[in-house]
Amino acid sequence: MTEVSTGRPPFKDYPFDISLALKINKGLRPEFAEGTPECYIKLANQCMDNDSSKRPRIKRIQAILFNWRNIIQGMQGILGDSSAGEIKIKKEFEASDKIIPIFTTTLQKHQEVYRSQPIPNLINYDDEVQKKSSNATDSLENFSIS
């Protein structure tokens, strides 16, 4: 959803490696373009929640998107005849159309191929790195030159 907002793939300027995976695991999220409607950002952030049980199901997302389409096209939304919330949504999307340009995305061939794959014990790996780092610090604190 951020790519629709910005016209750029998320994390385009980051190397796709374990470091990025750890940052995402700790809450790093892609940014949105200025002027992106607040309701859109809220939905995207729900979809990117670290806790997958808190992410909306596809039927819910579909219902929200259809509701937004109806509101933008001047039809009644779920709430009825132009509630304050629906008017706000329509104004935010109309304003964003004026701020955010229409993007044409050109897919470029990357030298690397990225595939979704499980990273075994990602959390354990991060904990081990933290533990080794703190052990090294503890060792240095107790080290003295006579």
Side-chain angles (χ1 to χ4, degrees):
M1 291 179 76
T2 60
E3 189 167 348
V4 172
S5 168
T6 63
R8 295 172 19 140
F11 308 115
K12 181 179 182 276
D13 299 327
Y14 287 83
F16 279 62
D17 58 12
I18 188 110
S19 176
L20 176 60
L22 290 170
K23 288 176 184 174
I24 292 170
N25 189 321
K26 290 185 182 250
L28 177 67
R29 297 294 179 261
E31 294 182 8
F32 294 88
E34 183 179 333
T36 301
E38 196 59 42
C39 59
Y40 185 90
I41 294 171
K42 181 180 175 184
L43 177 61
N45 284 331
Q46 289 173 353
C47 292
M48 294 184 285
D49 195 298
N50 269 353
D51 182 349
S52 61
S53 68
K54 293 181 181 176
R55 296 178 196 153
R57 298 200 177 273
I58 189 65
K59 290 288 187 184
R60 174 80 177 127
I61 296 168
Q62 182 183 31
I64 291 169
L65 295 176
F66 280 125
N67 187 50
W68 290 347
R69 182 199 63 192
N70 289 343
I71 292 169
I72 292 164
Q73 292 177 347
M75 298 181 231
Q76 278 189 333
I78 293 171
L79 301 177
D81 56 347
S82 299
S83 72
E86 291 175 356
I87 291 169
K88 181 180 181 217
I89 288 169
K90 184 172 183 168
K91 285 182 179 180
E92 285 183 2
F93 276 103
E94 288 173 346
S96 73
D97 283 345
K98 293 174 186 167
I99 297 170
I100 301 171
I102 296 174
F103 296 110
T104 55
T105 303
T106 304
L107 297 176
Q108 298 175 356
K109 184 175 174 124
H110 293 282
Q111 292 178 356
E112 299 177 50
V113 176
Y114 303 113
R115 293 189 184 108
S116 179
Q117 56 187 332
I119 301 174
N121 301 320
L122 179 62
I123 295 172
N124 294 339
Y125 172 81
D126 190 38
D127 290 342
E128 280 298 311
V129 169
Q130 296 279 345
K131 187 190 291 185
K132 287 179 182 176
S133 175
S134 66
N135 286 344
T137 305
D138 291 344
S139 297
L140 288 175
E141 289 172 359
N142 296 327
F143 183 76
S144 64
I145 300 176
S146 305

